[in-house]
């Protein structure tokens, strides 16, 4: 007798998790591939299980202004060159498979430059399977005994799943078996030896917690994103040699739960690891790869292998799948093998390869931009729009970053020195990705049915059959009933003939009465036997009921104990969650404090660097100033030494001249005293000289005893040099006998750069009115030199002064204009030495003078 069917309570539809839930950071792992040759230079070193260090290769700092820095990057875990695939799977992919069986989504992708080992990490090599075959093996090892029959679950075209009844599923299976060539391999089909070693996983890894009251089905699909278009690698296209049909690109849609999916994508139901991997290998052969300068088999597209797991609970009897769509859970695990970023100047790509590289780099750049915007929104509290739609890659997986499952990334790096710059960019992107947090998905609600019903009902049926066999009771009631009739009917005595032909016949009726009596006795005996058997069967049923009741009581006791334990664990869990929240709050405060301290530290380091640079600049300025001051002191000392020598020479010359004048005066005085004088001529006044200018005559010869006055002649240092003779038009002609003359000079009225460029000496003629009313002419001389800007500059070195004086202001002896000159030569001699000496213009040596001094060695006054 079957138990009554219990109505399963309806479960509300799954919704996106609330943003107030807990968040987990994106798990980023690093894997370092071994070098291709032992003599290659390495630029990446594994420091510990969480840190790698990257340093520039030899010769790289020559092109970067001498910079040579070693940079360290931290990850959740680092896998060196000797780490096997199994250890990588246990740490990275195994938790995602366990979440898949629990009804949660997951995303795992490999990222890195071309030739860094991404495809090897995902697919593996013969004898050493990668993450993908190990994930498939773990799934089927875990749900193997609980798989539903083929076509019980059926995927629709809107990213959903339905449950078919047993009849429809049977028809689907018969239709599939009738096909001449099955699309998927059967269980008895031999595995392709090309990939047999990849799926021969010996560790038999399986999930710890699998719901035994559910049935499961696995669906796989394989797509590629090539040049920002989505193609189905499992799509069957008709083969046509004359006009081959190109593959059609697919489009992305959003389902009712706002999850993205590829419309029209082939999704194959698989029942074993070998069957699933053969489907993958079929699509892998269609994936686009090419030979480049850096990788012989470079992936030219992003490969996405999607594993969907449909599960639904059994009914209360534990026999059939519940037909309610709300009870079905559909989870998926996406394994993504990203194409490697590359630089075209290294790969020497041209044509299609160049276009592919551009689209690959563009999609990876969009992924990086989305990560940057997510990080900025979370850290700065902004609400910028994440550009998921800029690329098919980011648009397909946007719901993972919005909180629909765990996200994990494996950064594959090649330690060779040639990939230093590309590896540096990959490390920076990985470091930034670790700071993005993804909302933790909610747990699947319980269905409300009694747990353990599958094995309990199966055990009940086995126990009932065993008891009936022991008691000899009917195993199949209908068969036993037929065999009893066959045994009992021949044992009844046959009825005699009941036909009466004569009224006096006294034998027929007694014989009939005797047979009927025997039959009645036999029926009573059978009734007694039946009652006895019924009583025995009732006793068995009572014993069975009591056994069931005792077992139910035992089970209820155990359930109550388990419920108490669960209640205690829930209380403990709530307490631990409160404690976790408190600790998270404290951690958040500590992180903020650490951030503030880090900011202060960075500011202080910047201030320290600026102060040290300032001190270095001040020390450099001080050294330059000291050198300049030393040069100025040396130059000033040299100038003053020359000036002192010049002044001493000028003073000696002046004293000699004074001594000579005194001697001359004494001689003249002696001559005057010794000679008899008749009368003293009258000296004309200055006013009379001014009223009537006297024509200047040739000076009479001096006294015979007095030596003649030697005019000092100085040869200009400009002999053989070219001069610029600057004579302003405002100057007046002096009409003097002695005029300044410079040979090979360019005479200009105004100084010009063109004239200065042709000469190396400069002379300016300047006139001014002296204190006695006479015109004083100054010749200002200097050197011409070129400046750094390409112009010309003049540095003045000396000044020569030309002055004209009237001789009427001097005392001299002369006869009146009306008197005839005496015949005696002695009477015509000059009597005043100063008057005779003032006729000539005195030219003193001034070539050794410094700048700013006049010709007659009188220095200008400088400002204090």
């Amino acid at each position: 007798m079957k138990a009554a069917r219990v109505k399963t309570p309806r479960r509300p539809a799954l919704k996106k998790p609330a943003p107030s839930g807990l968040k987990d950071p994106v798990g980023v792992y690093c894997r370092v591939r071994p070098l291709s040759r032992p003599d290659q230079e390495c630029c990446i070193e594994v420091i510990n299980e969480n840190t790698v260090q990257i340093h520039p290769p030899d010769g790289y700092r020559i092109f970067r202004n001498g910079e040579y820095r070693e940079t360290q990057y931290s990850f959740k875990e680092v896998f060196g060159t000797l780490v096997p695939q199994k250890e990588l799977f246990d740490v990275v992919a195994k938790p995602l498979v366990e979440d898949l069986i629990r009804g949660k989504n997951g995303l795992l992708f490999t990222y890195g430059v071309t030739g860094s080992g991404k495809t090897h990490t995902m697919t593996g090599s013969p004898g050493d399977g990668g993450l993908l075959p190990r994930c498939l093996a773990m799934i089927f090892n875990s749900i193997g005994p609980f798989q539903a029959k083929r076509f019980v679950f059926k995927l629709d075209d809107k990213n959903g799943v339905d449950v078919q009844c047993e009849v429809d599923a049977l028809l689907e299976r018969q239709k599939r078996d009738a096909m001449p060539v099955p699309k998927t391999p059967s269980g008895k089909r031999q595995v392709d030896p090309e990939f047999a070693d990849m799926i021969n996983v010996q560790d038999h890894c399986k999930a710890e917690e699998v719901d035994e009251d559910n049935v499961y089905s696995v669906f796989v699909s394989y797509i590629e994103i090539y040049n920002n278009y989505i193609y189905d690698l499992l799509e069957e296209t008709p083969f046509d040699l004359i006009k081959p049909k190109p593959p059609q690109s697919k489009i992305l849609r959003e389902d009712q739960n706002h999850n993205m999916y590829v419309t029209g994508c082939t999704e194959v139901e698989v029942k074993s690891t070998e069957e699933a991997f053969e489907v993958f290998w079929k699509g892998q052969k269609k994936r686009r790869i090419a030979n480049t300068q850096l990788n012989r088999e470079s992936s030219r597209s992003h490969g996405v292998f999607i594993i969907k797991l449909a599960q639904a609970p059994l009914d209360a009897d534990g026999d059939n799948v519940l037909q309610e769509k709300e009870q079905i859970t559909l989870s998926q695990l996406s394994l993504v093998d990203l194409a490697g970023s590359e630089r075209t100047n290294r790969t020497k790509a041209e044509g299609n390869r160049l276009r592919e590289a551009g689209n690959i780099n563009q999609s990876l750049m969009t992924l990086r931009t989305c990560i940057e915007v997510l990080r900025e929104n979370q850290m700065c509290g902004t609400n910028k729009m994440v550009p998921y739609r800029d690329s098919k890659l980011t648009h397909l997986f946007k719901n993972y970053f919005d909180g629909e499952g765990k996200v994990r990334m494996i950064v594959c790096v090649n330690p060779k020195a040639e990939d230093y710059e590309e590896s540096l960019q990959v490390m920076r992107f990985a470091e930034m990705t670790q700071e993005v947090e993804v909302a933790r998905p909610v747990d699947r609600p319980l269905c409300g049915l009694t747990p353990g019903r599958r094995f309990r009902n199966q055990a009940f049926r086995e126990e009932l059959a065993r008891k009936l066999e022991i008691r000899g009771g009917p195993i199949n009631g209908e068969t036993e009933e037929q065999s009893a009739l066959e045994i009992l009917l021949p044992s009844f005595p046959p009825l005699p003939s009941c036909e009466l032909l004569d009224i006096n016949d006294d034998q027929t009726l007694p014989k009939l009465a005797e047979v009927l009596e025997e039959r009645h006795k036999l029926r009573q005996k059978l009734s007694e036997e039946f009652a006895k058997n019924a009583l025995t069967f009732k006793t068995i049923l009572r014993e069975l009921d009591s056994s069931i009741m005792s077992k139910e009581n035992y089970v209820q006791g155990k359930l109550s104990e388990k419920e108490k334990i669960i209640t205690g664990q829930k209380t403990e869990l709530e307490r631990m969650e409160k404690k976790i929240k408190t600790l998270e709050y404290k951690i958040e405060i500590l992180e903020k404090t650490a951030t503030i301290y880090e900011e202060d530290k960075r500011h202080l380091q910047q201030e320290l660097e600026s102060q040290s640079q300032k001190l270095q600049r001040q020390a450099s300025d001080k050294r330059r100033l000291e050198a300049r001051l030393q040069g100025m002191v040396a130059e000033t000392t040299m100038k003053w030494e020359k000036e002192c020598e010049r002044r001493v020479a000028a003073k000696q010359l002046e004293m000699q001249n004074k001594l000579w004048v005194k001697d001359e005066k004494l001689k003249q005085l002696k001559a005057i005293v010794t000679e008899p004088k008749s009368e003293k001529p009258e000296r004309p006044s200055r006013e009379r000289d001014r009223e009537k200018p006297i024509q200047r005559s040739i000076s009479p010869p001096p006294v015979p005893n007095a030596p003649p006055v030697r005019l000092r002649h100085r040869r200009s240092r400009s002999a053989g040099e070219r001069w610029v003779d600057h004579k302003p038009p405002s100057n007046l002609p002096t009409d003097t006998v002695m005029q300044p003359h410079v040979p090979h000079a360019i005479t200009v009225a105004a100084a010009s750069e063109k004239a200065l460029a042709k000469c190396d000496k400069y002379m300016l003629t300047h006139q001014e009115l002296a204190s006695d009313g006479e015109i004083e002419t100054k010749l200002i001389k200097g050197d011409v030199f070129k400046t750094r800007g390409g112009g010309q500059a003049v540095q003045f070195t000396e000044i020569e002064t030309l002055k004209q004086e009237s001789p009427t202001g001097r005392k001299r002896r002369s006869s009146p204009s009306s008197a005839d000159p005496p015949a005696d030569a002695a009477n015509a001699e000059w009597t005043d030495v100063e008057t005779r000496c003032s006729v000539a213009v005195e030219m003193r040596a001034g070539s050794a003078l410094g700048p700013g001094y006049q010709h007659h060695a009188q220095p200008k006054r400088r400002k204090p």
Side-chain angles (χ1 to χ4, degrees):
M1 181 177 178
K2 291 187 178 181
R5 185 180 296 272
V6 180
K7 179 68 175 177
T8 305
R10 296 180 66 86
R11 185 181 64 176
L14 290 176
K15 297 183 180 180
K16 287 184 177 290
S20 59
L22 301 176
K23 291 186 176 183
D24 295 321
V26 176
V28 181
Y29 302 84
C30 179
R31 189 180 195 188
V32 183
R33 67 161 289 177
L35 292 171
S36 302
R37 302 190 311 272
D39 58 343
Q40 277 187 319
E41 183 183 358
C42 179
C43 67
I44 297 177
E45 180 183 358
V46 179
I47 302 299
N48 51 42
E49 60 181 7
N50 301 108
T51 309
V52 295
Q53 179 174 284
I54 180 169
H55 57 80
D58 294 339
Y60 180 81
R61 53 182 172 180
I62 299 175
F63 305 99
R64 291 293 184 273
N65 299 325
E67 293 183 4
Y68 191 90
R69 295 189 305 171
E70 295 179 347
T71 311
Q72 292 187 356
Y73 293 94
S74 298
F75 298 90
K76 194 168 184 180
E77 191 160 342
V78 176
F79 302 95
T81 57
L82 302 178
V83 174
Q85 297 273 38
K86 182 182 182 305
E87 183 177 347
L88 180 68
F89 169 79
D90 291 340
V91 176
V92 181
K94 185 177 179 181
L96 295 178
V97 176
E98 292 177 348
D99 286 345
L100 177 72
I101 296 174
R102 296 191 191 101
K104 299 178 183 179
N105 299 333
L107 171 64
L108 173 63
F109 61 95
T110 55
Y111 182 87
V113 301
T114 180
S116 59
K118 301 182 296 300
T119 305
H120 172 75
T121 299
M122 188 62 69
T123 308
S125 58
D128 190 14
L131 299 181
L132 191 147
R134 291 177 184 272
C135 289
L136 293 173
M138 180 176 176
I139 291 171
F140 287 106
N141 289 339
S142 303
I143 67 170
F146 314 118
Q147 289 192 75
K149 294 181 179 180
R150 201 181 295 269
F151 300 115
V152 171
F153 291 97
K154 185 176 182 181
L155 299 179
D156 57 20
D157 56 352
K158 296 182 180 179
N159 203 30
V161 62
D162 294 322
V163 177
Q164 295 190 121
C165 64
E166 186 62 32
V167 176
D168 294 337
L170 181 61
L171 291 175
E172 292 278 353
R173 288 195 294 272
Q174 291 177 353
K175 181 180 178 180
R176 173 182 177 273
D177 294 338
M179 293 178 63
V181 179
K183 289 186 177 180
T184 55
S186 61
K188 299 179 181 180
R189 185 174 176 180
Q190 188 176 3
V191 181
D192 190 346
E194 186 178 2
F195 58 85
D197 293 340
M198 294 186 184
I199 59 176
N200 188 14
V201 182
Q202 301 294 334
D203 51 0
H204 299 290
C205 181
K206 59 188 302 184
E208 297 179 357
E209 298 179 4
V210 180
D211 193 349
E212 300 172 348
D213 295 320
N214 286 0
V215 290
Y216 303 87
S217 285
V218 179
F219 299 86
V220 295
S221 59
Y222 196 13
I223 62 173
E224 70 170 353
I225 303 175
Y226 175 72
N227 288 339
N228 208 27
Y229 289 97
I230 299 177
Y231 297 98
D232 185 6
L233 295 177
L234 303 180
E235 186 177 17
E236 294 288 343
T237 57
F239 183 72
D240 190 355
L241 286 174
I242 300 174
K243 190 177 180 181
K245 186 178 180 181
Q248 297 295 321
S249 62
K250 306 297 180 181
I251 60 175
L252 288 175
R253 293 282 177 85
E254 192 175 43
D255 62 8
Q256 60 181 359
N257 294 325
H258 306 290
N259 295 326
M260 304 306 300
Y261 68 97
V262 181
T263 57
C265 178
T266 305
E267 294 176 313
V268 182
E269 185 177 7
V270 291
K271 293 299 178 182
S272 65
T273 305
E274 294 78 10
E275 183 181 355
F277 197 79
E278 186 166 347
V279 172
F280 164 76
W281 198 254
K282 175 184 174 183
Q284 184 72 1
K285 291 180 179 179
K286 295 182 181 180
R287 189 177 174 190
R288 292 172 173 87
I289 60 174
N291 185 9
T292 64
Q293 292 280 346
L294 301 181
N295 192 358
R296 188 179 61 183
E297 294 181 357
S298 175
S299 301
R300 312 311 294 168
S301 63
H302 306 300
V304 183
F305 188 74
I306 302 175
I307 305 172
K308 289 186 178 181
L309 181 65
Q311 53 182 309
L314 295 171
D315 56 8
D317 296 334
D319 295 329
N320 301 316
V321 184
L322 285 177
Q323 299 294 319
E324 299 177 8
K325 190 172 182 179
E326 293 80 5
Q327 298 293 332
I328 305 173
T329 302
L330 183 65
S331 55
Q332 75 176 32
L333 174 62
S334 300
L335 303 176
V336 185
D337 179 17
L338 294 177
S341 59
E342 59 186 38
R343 292 191 176 184
T344 55
N345 59 352
R346 292 188 60 202
T347 58
K348 309 298 182 185
E350 296 178 355
N352 291 333
R353 300 290 87 79
L354 182 61
R355 182 187 174 199
E356 292 166 357
N359 285 291
I360 290 170
N361 294 335
Q362 181 63 34
S363 61
L364 295 177
M365 183 60 67
T366 304
L367 175 62
R368 180 172 188 147
T369 303
C370 293
I371 294 295
E372 287 178 353
V373 176
L374 283 171
R375 173 176 169 270
E376 183 179 356
N377 289 343
Q378 293 176 4
M379 297 186 68
C380 303
T382 58
N383 194 19
K384 292 184 178 180
M385 186 182 70
V386 184
Y388 291 120
R389 293 180 179 268
D390 291 352
S391 173
K392 292 290 194 302
L393 177 67
T394 54
H395 195 195
L396 177 61
F397 299 118
K398 82 176 189 66
N399 45 288
Y400 285 98
F401 293 101
D402 290 341
E404 282 297 327
K406 286 184 179 180
V407 180
R408 294 196 171 182
M409 179 175 73
I410 301 176
V411 176
C412 300
V413 292
N414 194 338
K416 65 179 182 179
E418 290 82 358
D419 290 347
Y420 167 72
E421 292 190 0
E422 290 87 345
S423 299
L424 198 62
Q425 296 298 325
V426 169
M427 293 291 185
R428 291 171 180 170
F429 170 70
E431 188 178 39
M432 177 182 60
T433 306
Q434 293 182 102
E435 299 176 0
V436 176
E437 293 182 344
V438 178
R440 188 178 300 175
V442 296
D443 293 329
R444 182 185 52 176
L446 299 175
C447 65
L449 295 175
T450 305
R453 55 190 178 278
R454 179 199 290 264
F455 290 111
R456 186 165 58 250
N457 293 340
Q458 183 178 354
F460 171 74
R461 289 193 297 270
E462 291 177 356
E463 182 68 18
L464 180 61
R466 188 179 65 83
K467 287 288 183 71
L468 290 176
E469 287 179 1
I470 294 174
R471 298 280 184 176
I475 299 174
N476 191 334
E478 186 177 356
T479 305
E480 288 297 321
E481 186 177 356
Q482 292 176 357
S483 61
L485 288 175
E486 292 176 355
I487 296 172
L488 292 175
L489 285 176
S491 62
F492 284 94
L495 292 175
S497 176
C498 299
E499 184 177 1
L500 295 176
L501 298 177
D502 189 1
I503 191 173
N504 296 316
D505 190 1
D506 53 356
Q507 294 181 358
T508 302
L509 291 177
K511 288 181 180 179
L512 179 62
E514 184 178 358
V515 170
L516 290 176
E517 286 179 359
E518 290 180 359
R519 281 179 173 259
H520 179 67
K521 290 180 182 178
L522 186 59
R523 182 174 294 176
Q524 285 181 349
K525 189 181 293 184
L526 290 174
S527 298
E528 291 176 358
E529 186 68 22
F530 177 76
K532 185 177 178 181
N533 290 335
L535 182 62
T536 305
F537 184 70
K538 286 181 180 179
T539 305
I540 293 173
L541 287 178
R542 289 193 191 96
E543 291 177 358
L544 189 60
D545 287 340
S546 62
S547 175
I548 291 173
M549 289 297 296
S550 62
K551 288 184 179 180
E552 285 183 354
N553 293 332
Y554 176 75
V555 170
Q556 289 294 333
K558 289 291 183 180
L559 287 176
S560 62
E561 291 178 1
K562 293 293 183 182
E563 287 178 355
K564 290 181 181 179
I565 294 173
I566 291 172
T567 305
Q569 289 179 351
K570 285 183 178 179
T571 307
E572 183 68 17
L573 185 62
E574 291 176 356
R575 188 183 67 81
M576 295 300 292
E577 285 181 352
K578 291 181 180 178
K579 188 175 180 181
I580 288 171
K581 289 182 180 178
T582 306
L583 293 176
E584 285 179 349
Y585 178 72
K586 290 182 179 180
I587 290 172
E588 185 178 358
I589 294 176
L590 291 176
E591 286 179 350
K592 290 181 179 178
T593 308
T595 305
I596 294 172
Y597 285 153
E598 288 290 336
E599 193 71 23
D600 293 342
K601 180 182 176 182
R602 187 161 54 252
H603 288 323
L604 290 174
Q605 286 179 348
Q606 292 176 355
E607 186 177 355
L608 180 62
E609 290 177 357
S610 62
Q611 291 292 337
S612 62
Q613 292 176 359
K614 186 176 179 181
L615 289 175
Q616 290 178 359
R617 287 196 301 269
Q618 289 178 354
S620 178
D621 294 342
K622 183 178 178 182
R623 287 193 297 270
R624 284 199 302 270
L625 185 59
E626 287 178 355
R628 185 177 176 185
L629 288 176
Q630 289 176 1
M632 291 176 64
V633 167
E635 185 179 355
T636 307
T637 303
M638 187 182 299
K639 286 181 180 179
W640 278 108
E641 287 177 355
K642 291 182 179 180
E643 178 65 18
C644 290
E645 292 177 358
R646 188 197 59 77
R647 288 190 182 185
V648 169
K651 198 67 176 178
Q652 288 178 357
L653 183 59
E654 184 181 357
M655 296 303 293
Q656 288 178 3
N657 289 336
K658 286 184 179 181
L659 184 60
W660 180 82
V661 170
K662 286 184 179 180
D663 291 343
E664 189 68 23
K665 286 182 179 181
L666 287 176
K667 289 179 182 179
Q668 293 291 335
L669 183 60
K670 182 178 179 181
I672 293 170
V673 172
T674 54
E675 292 181 358
K677 300 179 179 57
S678 58
E679 58 180 347
K680 187 175 181 181
E682 183 179 357
R683 182 175 179 177
S685 63
R686 188 177 183 85
E687 288 78 6
R688 193 180 303 168
D689 293 338
R690 290 179 181 175
E691 292 173 1
K692 184 179 180 181
I694 302 172
Q695 187 176 1
R696 186 175 295 175
S697 61
I698 301 174
S699 299
V703 181
N705 295 333
V709 179
R710 287 188 176 180
L711 297 178
R712 296 175 59 250
H713 175 71
R714 172 181 174 269
R715 182 170 177 170
S716 175
R717 288 188 304 161
S718 63
E721 298 174 345
R722 192 138 188 210
W723 288 74
V724 175
D725 190 3
H726 182 188
K727 292 183 178 181
S730 60
N731 287 356
L732 298 176
T734 56
D735 296 332
T736 57
V737 176
M738 301 184 67
Q739 292 288 341
H741 173 68
V742 181
H744 307 293
I746 300 175
T747 305
V748 295
S752 64
E753 186 178 354
K754 183 176 180 181
L756 291 173
K758 297 179 181 180
C759 304
D760 51 358
K761 292 290 184 178
Y762 173 82
M763 181 175 70
L764 171 64
T765 304
H766 173 66
Q767 290 183 347
E768 63 181 8
L769 193 64
S771 60
D772 56 357
E774 299 293 342
I775 294 177
E776 186 177 69
T777 303
K778 292 184 177 180
L779 303 179
I780 306 173
K781 297 187 290 185
D783 296 330
V784 180
F785 60 92
K786 294 183 179 179
T787 62
R788 290 185 179 179
Q792 308 292 331
V794 178
Q795 181 178 6
F796 294 106
T797 58
E798 57 182 335
I799 301 174
E800 291 186 5
T801 305
L802 304 179
K803 190 173 183 183
Q804 185 178 2
E805 295 181 357
S806 176
T808 57
R810 305 294 182 182
K811 293 182 181 181
R812 66 178 181 176
R813 185 180 298 174
S814 62
S815 58
S817 59
S818 59
D820 296 330
D824 192 6
N827 295 329
E829 291 178 354
W830 294 81
T831 59
D832 193 349
V833 177
E834 293 182 3
T835 302
R836 287 182 290 166
C837 293
S838 63
V839 175
V841 178
E842 183 177 1
M843 297 293 292
R844 300 178 182 176
S847 61
L849 298 180
Y853 292 97
Q854 294 181 354
H855 172 72
H856 45 75
Q858 292 185 359
K860 292 182 179 180
R861 292 184 179 179
R862 295 184 179 179
K863 293 182 180 181

